[in-house]
Amino acid sequence: MTSHPERLTFLFDTHEDKLYRLARRLSRSAEEAEDLLQDTFLKAAQALAQVPDGYSREEAWLVRVLINTRRDQWRKAAVRQRAAPLVLAMTPDAPPDAESALIAKRAVWEALDTLRPRRRAIVILSELEGLGSDAIASLLGVAVVTVRWHLSMGRRDLRRALASYMGENT
């Protein structure tokens, strides 16, 4: 049996890259992603005996901790007021392409922010990480039908949130 520091080092070395990519997708900045990753491994260090053995089970446990940590952060952030409208691009002067892309990216992230935490995590895992419903269900410990339902509802909610930005009627 390995010591606690060796086990934690092994977990970090083995899973850090994939967890960082997921954290980066769930966060607005690289600094937030690094903080989220640090919080995840801090929680792993505090509950090292609870981390299951085996690559896929370790990974699933760490992903759940990361997503739950981010969900807690979203809940805390939900009390602040959302200020930026989604229709920033609908001004008389058309912005240059780089600015349009930045505005569109901001609109998408703001639309994602309107989703409930679990739904947002599932949409991000599917659409941005490219995971299938079975893999997401396994990582989150939920039924595949639950993942599919959240994906369907999440896509519908995003379409509604972005409809005015895209110039569509709902």
Side-chain angles (χ1 to χ4, degrees):
M1 183 173 215
T2 60
S3 69
H4 288 301
E6 290 173 353
R7 171 92 164 122
L8 189 59
T9 300
F10 175 78
L11 286 173
F12 184 82
D13 291 345
T14 305
H15 301 285
E16 183 263 340
D17 287 338
K18 188 168 187 173
L19 290 173
Y20 177 76
R21 284 193 311 271
L22 176 58
R24 187 63 186 101
R25 301 262 188 191
L26 293 171
S27 303
R28 290 183 178 265
S29 68
E31 292 79 20
E32 279 184 22
E34 289 168 0
D35 289 344
L36 180 56
L37 188 65
Q38 181 178 355
D39 290 344
T40 300
F41 280 103
L42 180 61
K43 289 178 181 180
Q46 293 168 341
L48 204 52
Q50 296 173 353
V51 179
D53 289 330
Y55 179 83
S56 62
R57 291 190 344 218
E58 291 169 351
E59 179 182 28
W61 190 90
L62 289 167
V63 165
R64 276 193 294 270
V65 169
L66 186 136
I67 288 174
N68 288 338
T69 301
R70 186 61 177 141
R71 186 183 311 160
D72 291 343
Q73 292 172 348
W74 287 330
R75 284 183 186 134
K76 290 176 186 174
V79 296
R80 70 190 154 141
Q81 185 153 351
R82 301 196 187 279
L86 293 176
V87 192
L88 291 175
M90 308 287 286
T91 58
D93 299 322
D97 287 344
E99 188 176 349
S100 292
L102 186 60
I103 290 170
K105 185 176 181 179
R106 182 175 177 190
V108 169
W109 279 110
E110 287 176 2
L112 281 168
D113 281 345
T114 66
L115 298 179
R116 293 166 60 184
R118 175 178 279 179
R119 190 166 293 161
R120 180 177 188 210
I122 289 172
V123 168
I124 288 173
L125 286 170
S126 174
E127 301 298 332
L128 299 179
E129 288 293 320
L131 296 179
S133 297
D134 293 337
I136 296 169
S138 175
L139 283 172
L140 299 180
V142 298
V144 174
V145 70
T146 302
V147 170
R148 289 182 183 144
W149 183 79
H150 279 292
L151 276 174
S152 175
M153 296 287 98
R155 289 173 180 149
R156 181 204 64 192
D157 295 345
L158 287 174
R159 194 169 29 256
R160 284 183 182 161
L162 294 169
S164 61
Y165 174 79
M166 300 300 290
E168 299 172 4
N169 294 329
T170 6

